Amino acid sequence: QVQLVESGGGLVQAGGSLRLSCAGPGRPFGSYAMGWFRQAPGKEREFVAAINRSGGSTAYADSVKGRFTISRDNAKNTVYLQMNSLKPEDTALYYCAARLTILVVTTPREYNYWGQGTQVTVSS
């Protein structure tokens, strides 16, 4: 059973920052491509950012480019999402996901494993 555990969510004012963390699966963490997704009430789950297993390639949704940064520390089995200049429209439940692949994966259906999510609320 692969477990992913997100943390770091919370309530922040617009313009503020948060860093989300996701503790990854037990087998060598460096075998997994990782992604962050979010889902707001009444909306579909959407892609936020993704990183390949080495950390050398990343991808971002247009809505977060220049504000969010995905990174990983394979020695700590952890992937991060640094979120700066937060906006009220960033409010959502944020999920991390994992897949055994060498690629950067940006679509939810291609991921095999999901965490339970961490809530991010940005007040105006």
Side-chain angles (χ1 to χ4, degrees), residues 51-75:
I51 191 166
N52 72 339
R53 62 186 188 181
S54 70
S57 295
T58 58
Y60 295 92
D62 287 343
S63 58
V64 306
K65 279 181 182 176
R67 301 188 298 123
F68 291 11
T69 303
I70 188 170
S71 62
R72 66 190 296 159
D73 185 338
N74 287 346

Side-chain angles (χ1 to χ4, degrees), residues 72-123:
R72 66 190 296 159
D73 185 338
N74 287 346
K76 295 183 178 180
N77 287 7
T78 302
V79 63
Y80 304 98
L81 185 68
Q82 178 66 45
M83 306 186 295
N84 299 328
S85 302
L86 283 161
K87 305 175 181 180
E89 51 264 44
D90 294 318
T91 295
L93 189 61
Y94 282 71
Y95 298 89
C96 72
R99 176 174 174 168
L100 282 169
T101 180
I102 65 171
L103 303 174
V104 176
V105 182
T106 62
T107 53
R109 66 177 183 273
E110 295 189 62
Y111 280 92
N112 306 109
Y113 308 108
W114 292 86
Q116 294 300 306
T118 184
Q119 179 67 38
V120 171
T121 303
V122 184
S123 63

Side-chain angles (χ1 to χ4, degrees), residues 1-5 22-26 96 113-115:
Q1 182 72 18
V2 174
Q3 289 189 322
L4 302 174
V5 181
C22 173
C96 72
Y113 308 108
W114 292 86

Side-chain angles (χ1 to χ4, degrees), residues 40-55:
K43 295 187 177 181
E44 294 187 353
R45 191 169 299 189
E46 65 173 357
F47 167 70
V48 176
I51 191 166
N52 72 339
R53 62 186 188 181
S54 70

